[in-house]
Amino acid sequence: MKQLLVIGIGAGNPDYITMQAVKALNRVDVFFLLDKGQSKQTLIDLRREICERYITGHAYRFVEASSPERERGDVDYTASVDALNRAKQQTFERLINDELSDGQCGGLLIWGDPALYDSTLRILQAIQASGRCQFEYEVIPGITSVQALAAQHKIPLNTIGRSVEITTGRRLAAGQVSEADSLVVMLDAEDSYQRVADRQTEIFWGAYLGTPDEILLSGRLAEVADEIERVDYGYLSVTQALSGWRLNKRFREQARSHREMRCRMWERACPRRGQNIHHRL
């Protein structure tokens, strides 16, 4: 029987790799890498670096395939994601059938944790349900950018005994309102913190977490929003050309947001409760 390991490799710093992940890396015979083009080549290079650092005395190889692109623009978002996942399913099926022999172990290296805002597990479930591939798989958890950002800012994610919610910037832009005390917002491409009415909201923001290029900013929105926007677009336009990737950013309002690979977190004073409410990413 073929076996797959879906390995969470953390938020970008090779030191975020867990001992369980190291053991899993050393079981893999074939690593499958989806190439997203030259602009994301550093992501491929970093995966290779992680394998070179942690795999010892075990032969392995890499198999690369072009990653399907999601249709963008004025399209139905859910439908475009479904189409993307179907295309990825076909790619994975081909790789498993053609590149992995019976009894071998394949590896998929997933940024952060495979269970959080990543479709790999759904795709593997769909492949198994189709019956076109026979394999078993295991999931190895990883350190998310949510955890990395909280650690770098030295702040807790939640207030005592209160709830935490994870959502997306897209839902916030559509007007989602949350009653959670801590709101984690991911996949935000529109800097939703700029729409927060209460400019006394405190934001904890970071980029390139755990790397030599790491940037951390925090403070009241009224004081740091412009600086975050300047760093967000000015610095990234330079650094992206140099490194081609960025770590999640997160932020908050009565919601907050994260973009492709950066993180922001924030807390705001809640007049309804007369206490500070922490919002993190």
Side-chain angles (χ1 to χ4, degrees):
M1 176 70 75
K2 299 178 181 182
Q3 187 170 36
L4 289 178
L5 299 181
V6 185
I7 306 172
I9 56 175
N13 186 338
D15 289 342
Y16 289 159
I17 301 295
T18 66
M19 289 304 299
Q20 184 184 15
V22 170
K23 292 176 182 178
L25 291 172
N26 281 274
R27 293 168 54 192
V28 175
D29 300 301
V30 183
F31 288 98
F32 299 124
L33 305 178
L34 293 187
D35 183 0
K36 295 186 177 182
Q38 189 59 41
S39 65
K40 300 295 181 67
Q41 182 60 40
T42 303
L43 296 175
I44 297 292
D45 294 341
L46 186 53
R47 286 182 170 96
R48 291 178 179 273
E49 177 189 335
I50 287 171
C51 291
E52 291 170 2
R53 175 183 294 200
Y54 291 112
I55 298 176
T56 58
H58 178 72
Y60 61 92
R61 63 188 177 94
F62 295 101
V63 174
E64 294 189 24
S66 296
S67 179
E69 296 271 337
R70 179 172 70 82
E71 185 179 3
R72 301 184 184 276
D74 187 18
V75 297
D76 181 89
Y77 174 75
T78 301
S80 68
V81 171
D82 288 343
L84 171 65
N85 287 341
R86 286 194 298 271
K88 284 186 175 181
Q89 178 179 336
Q90 294 175 354
T91 300
F92 284 163
E93 287 179 3
R94 176 175 58 79
L95 292 174
I96 295 168
N97 284 328
D98 297 348
E99 301 291 346
L100 197 63
S101 300
D102 224 26
Q104 283 192 317
C105 181
L108 297 167
L109 305 180
I110 308 301
W111 295 112
D113 184 279
L116 183 63
Y117 282 101
D118 185 271
S119 293
T120 301
L121 299 183
R122 294 187 187 89
I123 292 171
L124 294 181
Q125 291 167 357
I127 293 174
Q128 285 190 326
S130 74
R132 290 189 290 269
C133 279
Q134 299 297 320
F135 61 90
E136 296 176 346
Y137 68 95
E138 298 177 30
V139 180
I140 290 80
I143 294 174
T144 68
S145 55
V146 177
Q147 297 159 286
L149 185 63
Q152 295 304 88
H153 275 290
K154 302 180 178 66
I155 52 178
L157 186 62
N158 65 290
T159 53
I160 296 175
R162 308 303 296 183
S163 60
V164 177
E165 180 180 339
I166 301 177
T167 187
T168 66
R170 180 179 296 275
R171 290 183 62 83
L172 294 185
Q176 174 188 352
V177 175
S178 172
E179 293 301 318
D181 291 86
S182 296
L183 191 65
V184 178
V185 182
M186 306 181 68
L187 304 172
D188 174 54
E190 299 181 6
D191 291 337
S192 301
Y193 64 90
Q194 294 286 19
R195 299 192 180 107
V196 178
D198 182 4
R199 306 310 284 177
Q200 293 306 303
T201 295
E202 188 171 12
I203 183 170
F204 299 88
W205 182 91
Y208 312 100
L209 297 175
T211 76
D213 295 325
E214 180 176 88
I215 309 171
L216 297 174
L217 294 171
S218 63
R220 302 294 177 186
L221 274 173
E223 301 166 352
V224 300
D226 290 344
E227 184 178 5
I228 289 173
E229 185 173 16
R230 177 182 60 80
V231 170
D232 203 3
Y233 293 98
Y235 185 88
L236 287 180
S237 65
V238 175
T239 305
Q240 194 172 356
L242 297 175
S243 59
W245 62 289
R246 45 201 177 174
L247 284 176
N248 309 6
K249 77 179 172 185
R250 330 270 191 200
F251 46 69
R252 138 91 190 177
E253 137 185 323
Q254 280 189 310
R256 142 179 64 132
S257 327
H258 159 193
R259 185 184 324 238
E260 192 176 342
M261 282 191 119
R262 285 169 296 186
C263 307
R264 301 179 174 164
M265 305 179 64
W266 28 298
E267 93 183 336
R268 73 180 179 89
C270 178
R272 288 182 300 134
R273 294 184 177 86
Q275 64 181 14
N276 286 338
I277 290 185
H278 301 329
H279 302 282
R280 316 250 194 281
L281 237 281

